[in-house]
Amino acid sequence: MERTFIAVKPDGVQRGLVGTILKKFEEKGYKLVGLKLLQVSQELAQTHYGEHKGKPFFDGLVKFITSGPVVAFVVEGNDVVVTARKMIGATKPSDSAIGTIRGDYGVDIGRNIIHGSDSPESAEREISLWFKPEELTEWTPTISTWIYE
Ligand code: IDP
Ligand code: MG
């Protein structure tokens, strides 16, 4: 089973979209294994977005992601990394299909509601950056046999 890291960014939290977003992942059939609300530090923001350091939007991105609480969570399931990215939509909301999270709720690339890991390697890195091992819970949903053959 694969895991991915998802974060509802400060705009998503401020707009009251946390429940809506969590519901989409729950209804899809993914298992929630970690969840928290936190104020992101400068250090965490810069490390998380390290690949974008030096780009023109980097400072604004760090300022934005540290501007208010973020809801971070980890979901588990078959092919969850790639499927979560499909559920999230393209980086630029105007390129995101209607029905995706960014396509339905986002307008501006700098306020695109949600983050999702872009590969299994990024997911591992981001999960260990945002969560301590003891903050992730192993459990078996009773509905598992109705989601997996
Ligand atoms: P992703 O979130 O879809 O993986 P990335 O290219 O990794 O997209 O960029 C990370 C985040 O940086 C985006 O979600 C967006 O919030 C922000 N970002 C990316 N490109 C721009 C830009 O051109 N202007 C403003 N913000 C940007
Ligand atoms: Mg990215």
Side-chain angles (χ1 to χ4, degrees):
M1 283 279 174
E2 195 171 78
R3 288 180 172 181
T4 197
F5 172 74
I6 309 288
V8 183
K9 297 179 180 182
D11 53 338
V13 176
Q14 292 284 356
R15 290 177 55 191
L17 293 171
V18 172
T20 300
I21 289 169
L22 280 172
K23 192 171 167 67
K24 286 179 190 286
F25 287 92
E26 284 189 306
E27 285 184 342
K28 173 71 178 167
Y30 291 135
K31 176 169 70 171
L32 194 58
V33 295
L35 172 68
K36 62 182 169 186
L37 179 142
L38 73 161
Q39 177 63 50
V40 177
S41 67
Q42 289 288 321
E43 192 192 354
L44 175 57
Q46 296 200 5
T47 308
H48 174 76
Y49 282 125
E51 66 174 304
H52 298 301
K53 206 173 162 105
K55 293 183 185 170
F57 61 84
F58 183 76
D59 290 348
L61 178 59
V62 169
K63 196 172 174 196
F64 164 57
I65 212 77
T66 57
S67 67
V70 163
V71 170
F73 58 97
V74 177
V75 278
E76 183 181 290
N78 281 1
D79 300 318
V80 67
V81 174
V82 70
T83 309
R85 290 282 292 195
K86 287 183 194 161
M87 291 167 67
I88 288 168
T91 306
K92 201 174 165 186
S94 57
D95 292 337
S96 303
I98 298 302
T100 65
I101 294 164
R102 288 169 173 168
D104 284 353
Y105 304 114
V107 176
D108 191 311
I109 191 168
R111 298 286 184 273
N112 64 2
I113 320 278
I114 182 167
H115 167 83
S117 307
D118 63 8
S119 68
E121 295 72 33
S122 301
E124 271 190 36
R125 184 185 81 88
E126 291 169 3
I127 291 167
S128 59
L129 182 63
W130 288 74
F131 285 88
K132 297 178 190 142
E134 63 269 25
E135 290 176 323
L136 300 173
T137 302
E138 297 280 356
W139 62 293
T140 306
T142 53
I143 55 161
S144 288
T145 54
W146 303 107
I147 293 171
Y148 294 101
E149 189 179 323

